[in-house]
């Protein structure tokens, strides 16, 4: 079989052969060699951005480039036009550019140079390979969102074709739609499931109600990888029971890479090949392994855009047995999303609002933060922080997008705030539902 996935990335300018070769070399390093590699890459990436990135130069100021003195970058630092943050020689045309989901309430546009993004894919392929999954030939059942406008939708569908995957849109997960998903599993030879945790859990609950084990109707299934949201232990047990396959927990960020991925020993192994992960206290000091703190991450290879000591907005704990080469994430606190229940009976995960933010966010830094609260079955309150009040045209655009992705007949109120309320961990939850589903 022609390796279409690798080929499509290569044709788009992502040097996969070189990236895979470098990743293999890093993986083969001994513990001592890895320590030296890590220190060298940290110095190298800081020096590169100090010499080539005006945004990072301004951020550092007069501070000596000693690692512990480097500022911790937060998402609000990055809410300025992308062109002001790119390194010399990089542009949106010669880099990979995307938007974060905004699940923390602080969305922004980011860039990776093409070699860095190739390493991201090589890292993904390596970890999925632990479970016999090959992106070039394994068939994926994909529970992700998809753009609704015609051109973007067709582009994503074409990428799905090249990537050997079938996408189930997660904007409507009512029983009628879940039944059509079930029929696809009966008729297609899927090798694995990948997608948003809450969407996959809803599917498992439907299977339980129907008393169906997915592996029995789709015998080719090997494994399920869940991502983007917290996987609670009770949900993992449900998934294992209803799918009849191993459930693998993934923790990542689009602007970085896979951050942690459950290894075959059941450990949440942190990516130490392309990232450097620190756990810091409120004073930006590293805490001992086994102690909770803010997860702060450095992208060791991204030259297009600095992600150096970047506070991702989550709280976590590294296991006491962690080493620099093999850090283990003992616990992740946060990253959970509610389900939106709608008048028509639709159930839509909070990450649906990622696609709504595409209509809200322009690369001008106007909207800094936002929270969407569902107060009634048909009523939503949107609180936001911005330099200027949203115009009637902008509000109309947001409402139109929500109608497309969710349904019509919903009521919205918009309220501009000086600041938004955060939880005790300092995390801003983008979507909150005050509606509780009636127990069946």
């Amino acid at each position: 079989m022609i390796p279409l996935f690798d080929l499509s990335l290569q044709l788009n300018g992502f040097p996969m052969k070189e990236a895979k070769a470098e990743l293999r070399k890093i993986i083969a390093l001994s513990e001592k060699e890895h320590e030296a590699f890590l220190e060298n890459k940290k110095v190298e990436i800081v020096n590169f951005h100090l010499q080539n990135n005006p945004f990072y130069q301004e951020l550092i100021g007069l501070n000596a480039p000693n690692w512990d003195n480097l500022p911790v970058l937060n998402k609000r630092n990055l809410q300025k036009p992308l062109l002001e943050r790119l390194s010399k020689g990089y542009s949106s045309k010669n880099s990979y550019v995307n938007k974060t989901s905004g699940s923390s309430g602080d969305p922004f546009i980011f860039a990776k140079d093409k070699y860095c993004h190739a390493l991201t894919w090589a890292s993904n392929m390596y970890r999925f390979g632990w479970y016999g999954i090959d992106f070039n030939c394994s068939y994926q059942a994909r529970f992700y969102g998809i753009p609704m406008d015609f051109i973007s939708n067709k582009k994503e569908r074409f990428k799905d074709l090249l990537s050997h995957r079938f996408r189930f849109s997660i904007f409507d997960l009512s029983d009628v739609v879940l039944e059509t998903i079930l029929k696809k599993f009966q008729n297609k030879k899927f090798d694995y499931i990948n997608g948003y945790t809450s969407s996959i859990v809803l599917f498992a609950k439907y299977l339980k109600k129907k008393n169906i084990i997915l592996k029995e109707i789709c015998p080719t299934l090997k494994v399920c990888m869940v991502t983007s949201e917290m996987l609670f232990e009770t949900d993992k047990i449900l998934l294992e029971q209803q799918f009849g396959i191993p459930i693998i927990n993934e923790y990542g960020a689009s602007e970085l890479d896979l951050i942690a991925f459950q290894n075959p020993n059941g450990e949440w192994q942190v990516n130490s090949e392309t990232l450097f992960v620190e756990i810091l206290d409120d004073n930006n000091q590293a805490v001992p392994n086994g102690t909770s703190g803010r997860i702060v991450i450095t992208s060791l290879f991204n030259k297009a855009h600095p992600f150096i000591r970047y506070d991702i907005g989550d709280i976590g704990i590294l296991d006491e047995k962690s080493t620099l080469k093999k850090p283990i994430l003992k616990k992740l606190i946060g990253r959970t999303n509610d389900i939106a229940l709608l008048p028509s009976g639709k159930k839509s995960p909070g990450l649906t609002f990622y696609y709504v933010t595409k209509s809200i966010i322009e690369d001008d830094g106007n909207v800094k933060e936002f929270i969407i609260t569902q107060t009634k079955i048909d009523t939503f309150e949107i609180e936001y922080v911005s330099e200027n009040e949203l115009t009637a045209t902008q509000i109309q655009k947001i409402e139109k997008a929500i109608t497309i992705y969710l349904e019509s007949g919903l009521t919205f109120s918009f309220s501009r705030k000086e600041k938004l309320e955060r939880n005790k961990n300092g995390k801003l939850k983008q979507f909150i539902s005050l509606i509780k589903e009636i127990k069946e």
Side-chain angles (χ1 to χ4, degrees), residues 92 295 311:
S92 58
I295 300 177
D311 187 338

Side-chain angles (χ1 to χ4, degrees), residues 219-243:
T220 52
L221 271 181
K222 298 176 184 174
V223 67
C224 169
M225 285 82 170
V226 295
T227 189
S228 293
E229 299 157 303
M230 182 74 77
L231 175 64
F232 295 103
E233 188 60 31
T234 51
D235 287 338
K236 184 177 183 182
I237 292 168
L238 171 70
L239 292 173
E240 288 170 342
Q241 288 173 343
Q242 296 308 135
F243 290 175

